[in-house]
């Protein structure tokens, strides 16, 4: 008795733990009930590690535990349910790498208590086989089309037509999931749920998939495909700024207003009903689950306008209209391997091979007279669609190949540059020589600038000396010719230096004047030193002129070499295009 009481207490704690963690996520702030329900069920989906169990593994677990031989209305107790869940999670851990192992006991406890709280509200301690199949096949991982195919096999008769009473029972069971996460007022079961899904009288597999995978799906099941879309976009990155919270990037869904130009919201702001500026919550928003750069959008628009891509893809492949036995669907026939250790890829391959073999046998064994006109027409249409898709795929591959060849031919590559190594060597030597001449020219320009500064100071010093001598002699007319010539010399120097290097006037007239110059002036022979400096300045000017001419000749040679190389590359490009 004490042990039973402790187990019950532990179960109550584990049951409350899952719902307490879900409430801590604050999903109730989401404004739209569809997103709110999908987020809550996605949380349970991940918290119980059901997203790691594929639908094929779930079907295999059903067969291994003998559930395919039991009637849908048969009841199983909680102990057997725990055994089934244990086999599912232990097989999962065998498939996972050692670094990604899950806590099996915790996952079993959380899922077991969630299922009991959902389907055993009156505490009978038992669940029906159909309730367990409906819940686990809906909440496990995998593609939604595979889940719906398995569900259809459980609610159809031997001729492959859906039984409305069984589908109504499925709705009763699956709509208990939103009720379990406190969303019953929005998505609870009603008497009109069945007719809102299928007003037709005869429903086959393709019609069943068309209705439940349509956009939008039936209102009572609108949360089911959204839960799968949430799983697919959790790690999708959008390099776009949110117009409300100003976040520089988005993760998950992106919503773009159809009325306000450039107005986009992240999923958090949209779910909470945030809006600013001219935007209103009444505006129509478009949901984006991926990001395309402007270049990709342009290429897709061009391909679409040229008819290279299909305008719309079907939501699911078209399956053969053959009867599937409810208790032994083709999914389960695949999973007959005695070994259950990591055979997922092998089983899928066997299933694909079996479908191909069945299709081949049906076309060989059945004469054309036994097939109806509608079946022949559908088959021809499918074959035509397949041929068009293959042709479209080939055209896209050819366009991609031609685009790559054009880009490779139009861009200069190292291989093209290596076609003429002699030209490259000569061009490299010319550039090296040009660099040396430029360095030499820079050094000469610096020397000339310093020389001009010294000449400027010497001329000022000479002028001051002459004025001083004139003042001492009292303005004697005998010294005017020589002094006038000396005073007129700075003007030609300025005009000569202005052609290449601007004249710098020092703050001190003796700045930059060496000791030899001062000594020469002290000895009374400034005129000879001045003439020597003028001659040196003219020599430097001539040398620089020759350097400039030589540099121009080097530049012309390099331009000619580069022109020849470009012409050679263009001729190579033209040869590629001709080929």
């Amino acid at each position: 008795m004490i042990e039973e009481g402790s187990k019950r207490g532990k179960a109550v704690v584990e049951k409350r733990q899952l719902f307490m963690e879900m409430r801590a996520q604050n999903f109730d702030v989401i404004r739209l009930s569809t997103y709110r329900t999908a987020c809550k069920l996605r949380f349970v989906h991940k918290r119980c590690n059901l997203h790691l169990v594929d639908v094929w593994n779930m079907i295999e677990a059903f067969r291994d535990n003998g559930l395919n031989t039991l009637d849908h209305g048969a009841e199983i107790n909680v102990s057997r349910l725990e055994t089934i869940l244990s086999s599912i999670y232990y097989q999962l851990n065998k498939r996972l790498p050692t670094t990604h192992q899950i806590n099996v006991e915790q996952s079993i406890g959380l899922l077991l208590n969630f299922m009991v709280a959902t389907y055993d509200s009156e505490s009978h301690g038992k669940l029906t086989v159909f309730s367990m199949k409906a819940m686990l096949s809906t909440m496990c991982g995998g593609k939604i089309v595979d889940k719906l195919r398995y569900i259809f096999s459980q609610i159809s008769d031997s001729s492959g037509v859906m039984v409305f009473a069984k589908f109504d029972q499925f709705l009763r069971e699956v709509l208990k999931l939103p009720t379990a996460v406190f969303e019953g007022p929005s998505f609870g079961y009603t008497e009109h749920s069945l007719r809102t899904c299928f007003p037709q009288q005869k429903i086959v597999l393709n019609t069943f998939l068309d209705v439940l995978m349509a956009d939008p799906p039936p209102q009572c099941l609108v949360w089911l495909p959204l839960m799968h879309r949430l799983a697919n976009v959790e790690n999708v990155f959008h390099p776009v700024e949110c117009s409300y919270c100003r976040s520089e990037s988005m993760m998950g869904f992106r919503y773009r207003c159809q009325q306000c130009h450039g107005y986009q919201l992240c999923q958090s702001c949209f779910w909470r009903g945030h809006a600013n500026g001219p935007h209103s919550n009444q505006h129509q928003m478009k949901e984006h689950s991926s990001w395309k750069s402007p270049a990709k959008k342009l290429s897709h628009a061009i391909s679409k306008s040229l008819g290279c891509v299909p305008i719309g893809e079907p939501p699911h492949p078209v399956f053969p209209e053959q009867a599937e036995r409810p208790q032994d669907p083709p999914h389960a026939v695949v999973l007959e391997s005695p070994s259950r250790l990591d055979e997922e890829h092998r089983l899928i391959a066997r299933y694909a091979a079996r479908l191909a073999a069945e299709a081949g046998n049906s076309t060989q064994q059945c004469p054309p007279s036994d097939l109806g006109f509608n079946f022949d027409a559908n088959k021809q249409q499918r074959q035509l669609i397949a041929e068009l898709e293959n042709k479209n795929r080939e055209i896209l591959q050819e366009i991609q190949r031609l685009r790559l060849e054009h880009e490779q031919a139009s861009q200069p590559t190292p291989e093209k540059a290596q076609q003429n190594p002699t030209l490259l060597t000569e061009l490299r030597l010319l550039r090296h020589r040009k660099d040396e001449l430029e360095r030499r020219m820079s050094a000469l320009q610096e020397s000339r600038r310093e020389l001009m500064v010294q000449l400027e100071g010497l001329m000022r010093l000479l002028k001051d000396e002459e004025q001083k001598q004139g003042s001492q002699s009292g303005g004697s007319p005998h010294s005017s010719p020589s002094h006038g010539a000396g005073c007129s010399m700075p003007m030609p120097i300025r005009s000569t230096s202005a052609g290449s290097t601007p004249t710098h006037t020092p703050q001190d007239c003796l700045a930059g004047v060496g000791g030899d110059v001062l000594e020469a002036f002290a000895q009374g022979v400034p005129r000879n030193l001045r003439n020597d400096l003028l001659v040196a300045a003219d020599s430097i000017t001539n040398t620089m002129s020759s350097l400039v001419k030589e540099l121009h000749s080097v530049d012309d040679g390099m331009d000619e070499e580069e022109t020849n190389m470009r012409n050679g590359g263009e001729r190579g490009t033209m040869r590629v295009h001709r080929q």
Side-chain angles (χ1 to χ4, degrees), residues 197-214:
C197 295
F198 297 105
Q200 302 94 338
Q201 295 298 325
K202 183 179 179 180
I203 304 300
V204 294
L205 175 60
N206 290 321
T207 309
F208 181 79
L209 296 177
D210 289 339
V211 172
L212 295 189
M213 297 183 65

Side-chain angles (χ1 to χ4, degrees), residues 111-324:
L111 182 57
L112 178 64
N113 285 283
F114 180 77
M115 294 181 67
V116 170
T118 304
Y119 295 101
D120 188 24
S121 58
E122 298 181 358
S123 301
H124 293 307
K126 295 181 180 180
L127 279 75
T128 63
V129 173
F130 190 66
S131 298
M132 189 187 64
K133 284 186 174 181
M135 187 273 175
L136 292 178
S137 61
T138 303
M139 293 292 291
C140 66
K143 296 181 179 180
I144 186 173
V145 62
D146 297 330
K147 297 181 182 181
L148 294 177
R149 287 190 65 192
Y150 173 73
I151 291 171
F152 184 81
S153 70
Q154 301 297 304
I155 61 175
S156 58
D157 56 15
S158 59
S159 62
V161 179
M162 187 187 74
V163 179
F164 277 82
K166 292 184 178 180
F167 179 71
D168 183 68
Q169 183 62 28
F170 168 74
L171 287 180
R172 291 177 183 269
E173 301 299 334
V174 77
L175 292 180
K176 291 180 181 179
L177 293 173
T179 304
V181 293
F182 314 106
E183 296 297 333
S186 300
F187 299 105
Y189 175 81
T190 62
E191 296 179 356
H192 304 286
S193 299
L194 176 62
R195 288 301 173 185
T196 56
C197 295
F198 297 105
Q200 302 94 338
Q201 295 298 325
K202 183 179 179 180
I203 304 300
V204 294
L205 175 60
N206 290 321
T207 309
F208 181 79
L209 296 177
D210 289 339
V211 172
L212 295 189
M213 297 183 65
D215 187 16
Q219 180 59 31
C220 61
L221 295 174
V222 68
W223 52 269
L224 180 57
L226 178 58
M227 186 177 67
H228 285 79
R229 297 205 308 271
L230 281 174
N232 294 331
V233 303
E234 283 183 347
N235 298 320
V236 174
F237 175 77
H238 305 268
V240 182
E241 182 183 16
C242 178
S243 300
Y244 183 85
C245 67
R246 300 302 178 185
S247 176
E248 296 182 356
S249 59
M250 305 179 189
M251 294 293 292
F253 285 121
R254 174 171 55 91
Y255 298 89
R256 182 166 56 88
C257 182
Q258 301 298 292
Q259 299 182 25
C260 304
H261 177 70
Y263 193 90
Q264 303 189 80
L265 293 176
C266 63
Q267 66 178 20
S268 178
C269 293
F270 176 75
W271 290 353
R272 286 158 176 78
H274 293 162
N276 58 346
H279 178 70
S280 172
N281 290 329
Q282 304 301 323
H283 292 180
Q284 184 180 1
M285 302 290 286
K286 185 176 181 180
E287 182 181 275
H288 295 272
S289 58
S290 62
W291 163 256
K292 290 183 180 179
S293 62
K296 289 185 178 180
K297 290 181 181 178
L298 178 60
S299 62
H300 182 76
I302 295 174
S303 302
K304 187 175 180 180
S305 63
L306 295 176
C308 299
V309 295
I311 298 177
E313 297 182 357
H316 65 85
V318 180
F319 297 99
E321 297 178 359
Q322 298 177 358
E324 296 182 354

Side-chain angles (χ1 to χ4, degrees), residues 64-120:
D64 292 341
N65 289 275
L67 297 181
N68 60 319
T69 60
L70 298 178
D71 186 72
H72 283 175
E75 294 183 342
I76 58 176
N77 54 29
V78 177
S79 299
R80 187 174 180 185
L81 176 60
E82 186 176 2
T83 302
I84 296 172
L85 298 182
S86 300
S87 65
I88 293 173
Y89 283 115
Y90 278 111
Q91 290 297 327
L92 171 63
N93 251 0
K94 291 180 181 179
R95 293 189 298 270
L96 294 176
T98 55
T99 56
H100 293 75
Q101 298 287 302
I102 65 171
N103 189 337
V104 175
E105 296 298 330
Q106 185 183 31
S107 300
I108 294 172
L110 291 174
L111 182 57
L112 178 64
N113 285 283
F114 180 77
M115 294 181 67
V116 170
T118 304
Y119 295 101
D120 188 24

Side-chain angles (χ1 to χ4, degrees), residues 24 26 65 110 134 143 231 373 379 541 575 579:
N26 201 19
N65 289 275
L110 291 174
K143 296 181 179 180
F373 175 76
K379 184 178 180 180
T541 304
R575 288 197 296 271
Q579 293 176 358

